[in-house]
């Protein structure tokens, strides 16, 4: 006979119902933001791309950005001390209209790599609107029109959003969906727009679209120069300075393959997760306990004991059903694989391992090597 007296799934069920509510709210809100809206004016947009060792994927990115239907823009790439053929590929595009590239300066000891690359791009840009994006993105011809139309319609100064995240291998499908953790577990995206509280801030570096005056007021990337998760830190800083922000859905306009294998995804998530929660050990511990108790333990009990007709086991299966619904609703909206949905115990177990690795290597140890730089 199964005994599970020390722990009741009643509280876990309430937590999973909360996850379901968050998922529903966020899916509805994201769908409201997907509608293309025609810009009312056409200020110059600077598209800014930091590129470090991106020779294998920067070409499609540039080809898509140089095919925009927007009438007034420039594309600037910063070659961030690449050791591969990135610079040679950039030279191939040198004769294209609206395009130029610059070679980055050596990294100062008090800056992280991407914030410093972004600062140099900010200084080189001439546009009234700045669009920072990554070299692994591919863009629809109407991307700039969509983002500017959204900025004008919602009346914001800074916006970010979800691209369509492509996964090809089984390993990618069982690690990449961890990037949706915040928007399934605790963060209602409407509050990014509707509140002034900086806690409700969110951004992903693939899409950082802002008015130039935003960076001018906060002195560029100076305030986030030593942040590993500079996109989240920038969104928090922008909101703290009184600017209006939005997180939208750009999956119909921007796509990318963030990680190219399980290993790549594991280390990519591990390098940022401890920093993403502010290096707060108590918050980190709470995150681990929450994942284990609300997500992994019900799944373990359900899988281990099957449909045993015990009251707590029945509640465990109810928890599984509620969370699977929450997870499935959100991932289907993100056009993710069914394997990522039904395999959610593996996704969160991998996230748990990445979080522990992040704590050991970036919180207490020597850091994680990423693009030939040590991330501490």
């Amino acid at each position: 006979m199964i005994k599970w007296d020390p722990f009741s799934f009643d509280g876990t069920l309430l937590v999973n119902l909360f996850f379901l509510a968050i998922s529903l709210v966020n899916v509805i809100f994201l769908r409201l933001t997907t509608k293309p809206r025609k810009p009312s004016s056409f200020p110059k947009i600077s598209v800014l791309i930091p590129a470090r060792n991106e020779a294998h994927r920067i070409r499609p990115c540039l080809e898509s950005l140089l095919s925009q239907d927007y009438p007034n823009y420039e594309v600037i790439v910063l070659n961030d001390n690449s050791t591969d053929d990135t610079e040679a590929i950039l030279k191939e595009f040198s004769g294209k209209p609206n395009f130029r590239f610059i070679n980055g300066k050596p990294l100062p000891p008090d800056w992280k790599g991407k914030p410093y690359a972004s600062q140099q791009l900010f200084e080189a840009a001439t546009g009234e609107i700045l669009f920072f994006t990554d070299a692994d993105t591919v863009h629809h011809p109407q991307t700039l029109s969509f983002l500017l139309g959204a900025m004008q319609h919602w009346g914001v100064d800074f916006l970010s959003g979800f691209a369509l995240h492509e996964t090809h291998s089984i390993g990618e499908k069982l690690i990449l969906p961890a990037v949706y953790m915040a928007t399934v577990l605790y963060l209602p995206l409407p509050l990014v727009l509707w509140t002034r509280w900086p806690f409700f801030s969110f951004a992903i570096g693939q899409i950082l679209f802002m008015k130039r005056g935003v960076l001018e007021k906060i002195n560029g990337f100076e305030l986030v120069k030593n942040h590993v998760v500079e996109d989240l830190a920038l969104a928090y800083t922008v909101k703290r300075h009184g600017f209006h922000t939005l997180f939208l859905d750009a999956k119909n306009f921007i796509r990318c393959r963030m990680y190219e294998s399980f290993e790549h995804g594991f280390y990519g998530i591990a390098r940022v997760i401890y920093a993403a929660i502010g290096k707060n050990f108590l918050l980190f511990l709470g995150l681990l306990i929450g994942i284990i108790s609300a997500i992994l333990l019900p799944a373990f009990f359900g899988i281990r004991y099957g449909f045993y007709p015990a009251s707590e086991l029945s509640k465990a299966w109810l928890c599984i059903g509620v969370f699977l619904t929450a997870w499935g609703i959100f991932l289907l909206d993100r056009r993710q694989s069914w394997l990522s949905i039904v395999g959610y115990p593996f996704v969160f177990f991998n996230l748990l391992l990445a979080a522990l690795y992040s704590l050991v290597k970036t919180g207490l140890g020597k850091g994680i090597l990423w693009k030939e730089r040590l991330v501490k």
Side-chain angles (χ1 to χ4, degrees):
M1 181 177 179
I2 300 172
K3 294 183 179 180
W4 192 237
D5 295 334
F7 181 84
S8 171
F9 282 113
D10 292 336
T12 305
L13 178 58
L14 291 176
V15 172
N16 281 290
L17 287 170
F18 174 77
F19 295 159
L20 178 58
I22 292 291
S23 292
L24 287 171
V25 166
N26 285 341
V27 166
I28 292 170
F29 182 76
L30 286 171
R31 293 200 171 190
L32 290 176
T33 67
T34 58
K35 180 180 178 181
R37 304 177 191 277
K38 186 176 181 180
S40 57
S41 60
F42 298 90
K44 185 175 183 179
I45 298 176
S46 293
V47 183
L48 308 171
I49 308 167
R52 178 173 173 82
N53 295 336
E54 301 287 0
H56 61 300
R57 54 188 179 179
I58 195 170
R59 195 186 304 275
C61 176
L62 294 180
E63 290 173 346
S64 66
L65 285 170
L66 293 172
S67 301
Q68 293 294 299
D69 69 353
Y70 192 79
N72 186 17
Y73 74 102
E74 64 179 357
V75 177
I76 308 175
V77 180
L78 180 124
N79 174 34
D80 187 11
N81 300 283
S82 297
T83 57
D84 64 1
D85 292 331
T86 296
E87 183 177 0
I89 293 174
L90 295 178
K91 287 179 178 178
E92 295 177 16
F93 286 85
S94 292
K96 301 285 186 180
N98 306 323
F99 175 82
R100 60 191 169 104
F101 80 92
I102 55 178
N103 285 314
K105 302 173 185 177
L107 181 65
D110 57 338
W111 283 75
K112 290 290 188 287
K114 193 169 182 182
Y116 189 58
S118 299
Q119 177 66 23
Q120 294 174 78
L121 285 164
F122 166 51
E123 293 170 359
T126 62
E128 182 182 337
I129 304 293
L130 307 178
F131 175 31
F132 292 88
T133 191
D134 288 344
D136 59 359
T137 55
V138 179
H139 299 258
H140 186 279
Q142 295 178 350
T143 292
L144 297 184
S145 298
F146 167 72
L147 293 175
L148 182 64
M151 172 176 277
Q152 293 173 345
H153 173 79
W154 295 98
V156 297
D157 308 294
F158 173 102
L159 65 81
S160 185
F162 281 132
L164 174 62
H165 294 130
E166 298 179 338
T167 56
H168 297 180
S169 67
I170 292 175
E172 291 170 75
K173 298 178 193 299
L174 295 179
I175 189 66
L176 179 131
V179 303
Y180 303 124
M181 176 189 68
T183 47
V184 172
L185 302 189
Y186 68 87
L187 180 64
L189 291 175
L191 297 184
V192 174
L193 173 67
W194 294 338
T195 72
R196 296 294 188 94
W197 191 12
F199 175 81
F200 295 108
S201 301
F202 196 52
I204 293 182
Q206 296 151 5
I207 306 169
L208 298 175
F209 193 86
M210 67 198 79
K211 297 176 182 177
R212 185 183 189 91
V214 170
L215 281 185
E216 290 176 341
K217 183 173 181 179
I218 66 173
N219 196 26
F221 288 81
E222 178 72 27
L223 296 179
V224 300
K225 67 181 182 180
N226 205 28
H227 285 262
V228 175
V229 194
E230 82 293 332
D231 43 12
L232 286 176
L234 183 64
Y236 181 92
T237 302
V238 165
K239 199 164 190 179
R240 186 166 56 84
H241 281 78
F243 292 105
H244 296 277
T245 66
L246 169 71
F247 192 89
L248 50 66
D249 188 354
K251 68 175 180 285
N252 294 331
F253 296 89
I254 304 171
R255 59 184 173 87
C256 74
R257 187 181 180 189
M258 286 182 69
Y259 305 119
E260 297 172 345
S261 66
F262 175 83
E263 183 181 20
H264 190 210
F266 183 88
Y267 289 118
I269 290 172
R271 76 184 170 91
V272 301
I273 190 168
Y274 188 62
I277 58 174
K279 303 176 185 176
N280 185 318
F281 180 75
L282 291 179
L283 187 59
F284 177 85
L285 189 62
L287 172 66
L288 297 191
I289 292 172
I291 290 174
I292 292 171
S293 62
I295 300 172
L296 293 180
L297 275 182
F300 170 78
F301 244 63
I303 294 170
R304 172 66 179 83
Y305 296 109
F307 290 92
Y308 189 93
S311 60
E312 289 303 321
L313 185 55
S314 299
K315 292 175 186 176
W317 273 102
L318 186 56
C319 291
I320 292 170
V322 172
F323 183 78
L324 188 58
T325 302
W327 187 243
I329 286 172
F330 197 82
L331 261 65
L332 285 176
D333 187 65
R334 304 309 326 140
R335 299 178 188 167
Q336 294 300 304
S337 164
W338 277 100
L339 179 61
S340 300
I341 297 173
V342 299
Y344 80 86
F346 297 98
V347 174
F348 280 90
F349 182 72
N350 291 331
L351 173 63
L352 191 70
L353 293 179
L356 292 171
Y357 186 82
S358 179
L359 173 65
V360 172
K361 299 296 284 188
T362 66
L364 306 175
K366 296 181 179 181
I368 296 173
L369 190 65
W370 185 257
K371 294 189 177 182
E372 301 181 10
R373 282 178 176 157
L374 194 63
V375 179
K376 294 186 177 182

